[in-house]
Short mmCIF file of all heavy atoms in Angstrom, two decimals:
data_model
loop_
_atom_site.label_atom_id
_atom_site.label_comp_id
_atom_site.label_asym_id
_atom_site.label_seq_id
_atom_site.Cartn_x
_atom_site.Cartn_y
_atom_site.Cartn_z
N SER A 26 96.80 83.52 111.70
CA SER A 26 96.22 82.20 111.72
C SER A 26 95.22 82.06 112.89
O SER A 26 95.15 82.94 113.79
CB SER A 26 97.31 81.12 111.85
OG SER A 26 97.89 81.19 113.15
N ARG A 27 94.50 80.96 112.92
CA ARG A 27 93.51 80.75 114.00
C ARG A 27 94.13 80.68 115.40
O ARG A 27 93.48 80.95 116.40
CB ARG A 27 92.71 79.48 113.73
CG ARG A 27 93.54 78.20 113.76
CD ARG A 27 92.69 76.95 113.70
NE ARG A 27 93.52 75.74 113.60
CZ ARG A 27 94.10 75.13 114.60
NH1 ARG A 27 93.94 75.64 115.83
NH2 ARG A 27 94.82 74.07 114.44
N ASN A 28 95.43 80.28 115.47
CA ASN A 28 96.08 80.22 116.78
C ASN A 28 97.02 81.38 117.04
O ASN A 28 97.87 81.32 117.93
CB ASN A 28 96.87 78.90 116.89
CG ASN A 28 97.91 78.71 115.80
OD1 ASN A 28 97.86 79.42 114.78
ND2 ASN A 28 98.80 77.77 115.97
N GLY A 29 96.82 82.48 116.30
CA GLY A 29 97.48 83.74 116.65
C GLY A 29 98.84 83.92 116.05
O GLY A 29 99.59 84.85 116.48
N ILE A 30 99.25 83.12 115.07
CA ILE A 30 100.52 83.40 114.37
C ILE A 30 100.27 84.54 113.39
O ILE A 30 99.36 84.49 112.58
CB ILE A 30 101.02 82.16 113.58
CG1 ILE A 30 101.23 80.98 114.52
CG2 ILE A 30 102.27 82.47 112.79
CD1 ILE A 30 101.60 79.70 113.80
N ILE A 31 101.07 85.60 113.49
CA ILE A 31 100.90 86.79 112.65
C ILE A 31 102.13 86.92 111.72
O ILE A 31 103.25 86.70 112.14
CB ILE A 31 100.79 88.05 113.51
CG1 ILE A 31 99.53 87.99 114.37
CG2 ILE A 31 100.77 89.33 112.63
CD1 ILE A 31 99.39 89.13 115.36
N VAL A 32 101.87 87.24 110.46
CA VAL A 32 102.96 87.51 109.51
C VAL A 32 102.75 88.86 108.88
O VAL A 32 101.62 89.39 108.83
CB VAL A 32 103.07 86.44 108.40
CG1 VAL A 32 103.46 85.11 108.96
CG2 VAL A 32 101.74 86.30 107.63
N GLY A 33 103.83 89.45 108.46
CA GLY A 33 103.76 90.78 107.81
C GLY A 33 105.09 91.25 107.34
O GLY A 33 106.04 90.48 107.17
N ASP A 34 105.20 92.55 107.15
CA ASP A 34 106.41 93.20 106.63
C ASP A 34 106.95 94.19 107.65
O ASP A 34 106.20 94.74 108.45
CB ASP A 34 106.10 93.92 105.31
CG ASP A 34 105.25 93.09 104.37
OD1 ASP A 34 105.61 91.91 104.17
OD2 ASP A 34 104.24 93.60 103.87
N PHE A 35 108.24 94.43 107.55
CA PHE A 35 108.82 95.51 108.36
C PHE A 35 109.99 96.17 107.60
O PHE A 35 110.52 95.59 106.68
CB PHE A 35 109.29 95.01 109.73
CG PHE A 35 110.50 94.11 109.69
CD1 PHE A 35 111.80 94.63 109.90
CD2 PHE A 35 110.37 92.74 109.53
CE1 PHE A 35 112.92 93.83 109.90
CE2 PHE A 35 111.48 91.90 109.52
CZ PHE A 35 112.75 92.45 109.72
N SER A 36 110.27 97.41 107.97
CA SER A 36 111.38 98.15 107.37
C SER A 36 112.28 98.69 108.45
O SER A 36 111.85 98.93 109.56
CB SER A 36 110.87 99.28 106.45
OG SER A 36 110.05 100.15 107.21
N VAL A 37 113.54 98.82 108.07
CA VAL A 37 114.60 99.28 108.98
C VAL A 37 115.16 100.59 108.45
O VAL A 37 115.42 100.71 107.22
CB VAL A 37 115.72 98.24 109.16
CG1 VAL A 37 116.80 98.76 110.07
CG2 VAL A 37 115.11 96.92 109.69
N ALA A 38 115.37 101.57 109.29
CA ALA A 38 115.91 102.87 108.87
C ALA A 38 117.25 102.68 108.15
O ALA A 38 118.12 101.97 108.66
CB ALA A 38 116.07 103.79 110.07
N GLY A 39 117.41 103.29 106.99
CA GLY A 39 118.65 103.22 106.24
C GLY A 39 118.82 101.96 105.39
O GLY A 39 119.78 101.80 104.70
N ASP A 40 117.82 101.05 105.46
CA ASP A 40 117.89 99.82 104.66
C ASP A 40 116.77 99.82 103.66
O ASP A 40 115.57 99.76 104.04
CB ASP A 40 117.78 98.63 105.60
CG ASP A 40 117.99 97.31 104.84
OD1 ASP A 40 117.99 97.28 103.62
OD2 ASP A 40 118.08 96.23 105.53
N PRO A 41 117.02 99.92 102.36
CA PRO A 41 115.98 100.03 101.35
C PRO A 41 115.23 98.72 101.11
O PRO A 41 114.16 98.67 100.50
CB PRO A 41 116.70 100.44 100.08
CG PRO A 41 118.10 99.92 100.29
CD PRO A 41 118.37 99.98 101.75
N ARG A 42 115.78 97.62 101.62
CA ARG A 42 115.17 96.29 101.36
C ARG A 42 113.90 96.11 102.23
O ARG A 42 113.78 96.63 103.32
CB ARG A 42 116.13 95.18 101.65
CG ARG A 42 117.40 95.16 100.84
CD ARG A 42 118.32 94.07 101.35
NE ARG A 42 118.63 94.29 102.79
CZ ARG A 42 119.04 93.33 103.63
NH1 ARG A 42 119.21 92.09 103.17
NH2 ARG A 42 119.31 93.59 104.89
N GLY A 43 113.00 95.35 101.67
CA GLY A 43 111.83 94.94 102.46
C GLY A 43 112.15 93.70 103.24
O GLY A 43 112.90 92.84 102.81
N HIS A 44 111.61 93.61 104.44
CA HIS A 44 111.81 92.43 105.31
C HIS A 44 110.43 91.88 105.70
O HIS A 44 109.43 92.58 105.69
CB HIS A 44 112.60 92.85 106.56
CG HIS A 44 113.95 93.41 106.28
ND1 HIS A 44 115.09 92.64 106.21
CD2 HIS A 44 114.35 94.70 106.06
CE1 HIS A 44 116.12 93.44 105.97
NE2 HIS A 44 115.70 94.66 105.86
N HIS A 45 110.45 90.61 106.14
CA HIS A 45 109.22 89.95 106.48
C HIS A 45 109.40 89.20 107.78
O HIS A 45 110.47 88.72 108.08
CB HIS A 45 108.81 89.00 105.37
CG HIS A 45 108.90 89.59 104.00
ND1 HIS A 45 107.96 90.47 103.53
CD2 HIS A 45 109.87 89.52 103.05
CE1 HIS A 45 108.27 90.86 102.32
NE2 HIS A 45 109.46 90.30 102.02
N TYR A 46 108.35 89.12 108.56
CA TYR A 46 108.45 88.53 109.89
C TYR A 46 107.31 87.60 110.20
O TYR A 46 106.25 87.63 109.56
CB TYR A 46 108.46 89.65 110.96
CG TYR A 46 107.13 90.30 111.18
CD1 TYR A 46 106.22 89.82 112.09
CD2 TYR A 46 106.77 91.38 110.40
CE1 TYR A 46 104.96 90.39 112.25
CE2 TYR A 46 105.52 91.98 110.52
CZ TYR A 46 104.62 91.47 111.48
OH TYR A 46 103.38 92.03 111.60
N MET A 47 107.50 86.80 111.25
CA MET A 47 106.46 85.98 111.88
C MET A 47 106.56 86.24 113.36
O MET A 47 107.67 86.32 113.92
CB MET A 47 106.66 84.49 111.57
CG MET A 47 105.62 83.58 112.22
SD MET A 47 105.92 81.81 111.89
CE MET A 47 105.59 81.77 110.13
N VAL A 48 105.45 86.36 114.01
CA VAL A 48 105.41 86.54 115.48
C VAL A 48 104.35 85.65 116.06
O VAL A 48 103.23 85.56 115.50
CB VAL A 48 105.21 88.00 115.90
CG1 VAL A 48 103.92 88.60 115.36
CG2 VAL A 48 105.27 88.15 117.41
N HIS A 49 104.66 84.97 117.16
CA HIS A 49 103.69 84.14 117.85
C HIS A 49 104.01 84.19 119.36
O HIS A 49 105.14 83.96 119.73
CB HIS A 49 103.75 82.72 117.36
CG HIS A 49 102.64 81.82 117.88
ND1 HIS A 49 102.83 80.51 118.17
CD2 HIS A 49 101.35 82.10 118.16
CE1 HIS A 49 101.66 80.00 118.62
NE2 HIS A 49 100.79 80.96 118.64
N ALA A 50 102.98 84.49 120.13
CA ALA A 50 103.15 84.59 121.59
C ALA A 50 104.31 85.50 121.99
O ALA A 50 105.06 85.22 122.93
CB ALA A 50 103.35 83.20 122.18
N GLY A 51 104.50 86.60 121.23
CA GLY A 51 105.53 87.59 121.54
C GLY A 51 106.91 87.29 120.99
O GLY A 51 107.78 88.12 121.14
N GLY A 52 107.10 86.17 120.35
CA GLY A 52 108.40 85.80 119.79
C GLY A 52 108.47 86.12 118.30
O GLY A 52 107.72 85.57 117.52
N PHE A 53 109.39 87.03 117.96
CA PHE A 53 109.54 87.43 116.56
C PHE A 53 110.69 86.66 115.87
O PHE A 53 111.72 86.36 116.49
CB PHE A 53 109.91 88.92 116.47
CG PHE A 53 108.77 89.89 116.78
CD1 PHE A 53 108.55 90.25 118.11
CD2 PHE A 53 107.99 90.38 115.75
CE1 PHE A 53 107.51 91.13 118.38
CE2 PHE A 53 106.96 91.26 116.04
CZ PHE A 53 106.71 91.65 117.35
N HIS A 54 110.52 86.38 114.60
CA HIS A 54 111.68 86.00 113.80
C HIS A 54 111.47 86.46 112.35
O HIS A 54 110.34 86.59 111.87
CB HIS A 54 111.98 84.53 113.85
CG HIS A 54 111.06 83.63 113.03
ND1 HIS A 54 109.94 83.01 113.53
CD2 HIS A 54 111.13 83.28 111.70
CE1 HIS A 54 109.36 82.31 112.62
NE2 HIS A 54 110.04 82.49 111.47
N GLU A 55 112.59 86.76 111.68
CA GLU A 55 112.50 87.18 110.27
C GLU A 55 112.35 85.98 109.39
O GLU A 55 112.99 84.93 109.56
CB GLU A 55 113.78 87.97 109.90
CG GLU A 55 113.70 88.56 108.51
CD GLU A 55 114.83 89.52 108.17
OE1 GLU A 55 115.66 89.79 109.06
OE2 GLU A 55 114.87 90.02 107.01
N ILE A 56 111.47 86.11 108.37
CA ILE A 56 111.22 85.02 107.43
C ILE A 56 112.25 85.13 106.27
O ILE A 56 112.42 86.16 105.66
CB ILE A 56 109.80 85.14 106.86
CG1 ILE A 56 108.80 84.94 108.00
CG2 ILE A 56 109.57 84.07 105.77
CD1 ILE A 56 107.37 85.20 107.52
N LYS A 57 112.88 84.00 106.04
CA LYS A 57 113.84 83.87 104.93
C LYS A 57 113.36 82.75 104.02
O LYS A 57 112.78 81.76 104.50
CB LYS A 57 115.25 83.57 105.46
CG LYS A 57 115.81 84.59 106.42
CD LYS A 57 116.30 85.84 105.70
CE LYS A 57 117.11 86.73 106.69
NZ LYS A 57 117.63 87.93 106.01
N LEU A 58 113.67 82.85 102.75
CA LEU A 58 113.33 81.80 101.81
C LEU A 58 114.55 80.93 101.49
O LEU A 58 115.54 81.44 100.93
CB LEU A 58 112.79 82.37 100.49
CG LEU A 58 111.43 83.08 100.54
CD1 LEU A 58 110.99 83.41 99.15
CD2 LEU A 58 110.37 82.25 101.29
N PRO A 59 114.55 79.66 101.86
CA PRO A 59 115.71 78.76 101.57
C PRO A 59 115.95 78.71 100.10
O PRO A 59 115.05 78.55 99.25
CB PRO A 59 115.22 77.41 102.12
CG PRO A 59 114.16 77.74 103.12
CD PRO A 59 113.46 78.96 102.61
N GLY A 60 117.22 78.86 99.71
CA GLY A 60 117.56 78.78 98.31
C GLY A 60 117.39 80.08 97.54
O GLY A 60 117.70 80.13 96.34
N HIS A 61 116.84 81.12 98.21
CA HIS A 61 116.60 82.39 97.55
C HIS A 61 117.10 83.51 98.48
O HIS A 61 116.33 84.37 98.91
CB HIS A 61 115.11 82.58 97.25
CG HIS A 61 114.56 81.58 96.35
ND1 HIS A 61 114.18 80.30 96.74
CD2 HIS A 61 114.27 81.62 95.00
CE1 HIS A 61 113.70 79.62 95.73
NE2 HIS A 61 113.75 80.35 94.64
N PRO A 62 118.40 83.53 98.76
CA PRO A 62 118.94 84.45 99.77
C PRO A 62 118.79 85.92 99.42
O PRO A 62 118.71 86.76 100.29
CB PRO A 62 120.42 84.06 99.88
CG PRO A 62 120.72 83.40 98.58
CD PRO A 62 119.47 82.70 98.16
N ASN A 63 118.80 86.28 98.12
CA ASN A 63 118.75 87.65 97.69
C ASN A 63 117.41 88.01 97.05
O ASN A 63 117.30 89.10 96.44
CB ASN A 63 119.90 87.96 96.78
CG ASN A 63 121.24 87.71 97.39
OD1 ASN A 63 121.51 88.13 98.55
ND2 ASN A 63 122.14 87.02 96.70
N ALA A 64 116.43 87.14 97.11
CA ALA A 64 115.17 87.37 96.39
C ALA A 64 114.33 88.44 97.11
O ALA A 64 114.29 88.50 98.33
CB ALA A 64 114.42 86.05 96.28
N ASP A 65 113.64 89.17 96.30
CA ASP A 65 112.60 90.07 96.83
C ASP A 65 111.29 89.26 96.75
O ASP A 65 110.94 88.73 95.70
CB ASP A 65 112.52 91.32 95.96
CG ASP A 65 111.53 92.36 96.48
OD1 ASP A 65 111.14 92.24 97.66
OD2 ASP A 65 111.16 93.28 95.73
N PHE A 66 110.57 89.21 97.87
CA PHE A 66 109.38 88.39 97.89
C PHE A 66 108.35 88.97 98.80
O PHE A 66 108.62 89.93 99.54
CB PHE A 66 109.72 86.96 98.35
CG PHE A 66 110.26 86.83 99.74
CD1 PHE A 66 109.39 86.49 100.80
CD2 PHE A 66 111.60 87.05 100.02
CE1 PHE A 66 109.91 86.39 102.08
CE2 PHE A 66 112.09 86.92 101.30
CZ PHE A 66 111.24 86.58 102.35
N THR A 67 107.11 88.48 98.71
CA THR A 67 106.05 88.90 99.57
C THR A 67 105.68 87.77 100.51
O THR A 67 105.88 86.58 100.21
CB THR A 67 104.79 89.35 98.76
OG1 THR A 67 104.25 88.20 98.07
CG2 THR A 67 105.14 90.43 97.73
N VAL A 68 105.01 88.13 101.61
CA VAL A 68 104.42 87.15 102.52
C VAL A 68 103.00 87.60 102.71
O VAL A 68 102.71 88.67 103.23
CB VAL A 68 105.15 87.14 103.88
CG1 VAL A 68 104.41 86.25 104.89
CG2 VAL A 68 106.57 86.63 103.76
#
């Protein structure tokens, strides 16, 4: 975004699932979709 919020994907060794993150000013958090706990999705 214009103020430096970055989103993307990440993977973890031994975990076949895809994960998604947001980072801003060095603070990371994983993106989850409310109501879709087991869904495969893109960001």
Side-chain angles (χ1 to χ4, degrees):
S26 70
R27 63 172 174 81
N28 58 345
I30 301 175
I31 297 174
V32 294
D34 314 312
F35 70 94
S36 58
V37 178
D40 185 349
R42 298 174 303 158
H44 300 269
H45 313 282
Y46 72 89
M47 179 182 292
V48 58
H49 189 216
F53 287 87
H54 77 264
E55 185 171 357
I56 297 172
K57 302 282 190 178
L58 293 188
H61 299 79
N63 300 314
D65 186 15
F66 63 98
T67 65
V68 172

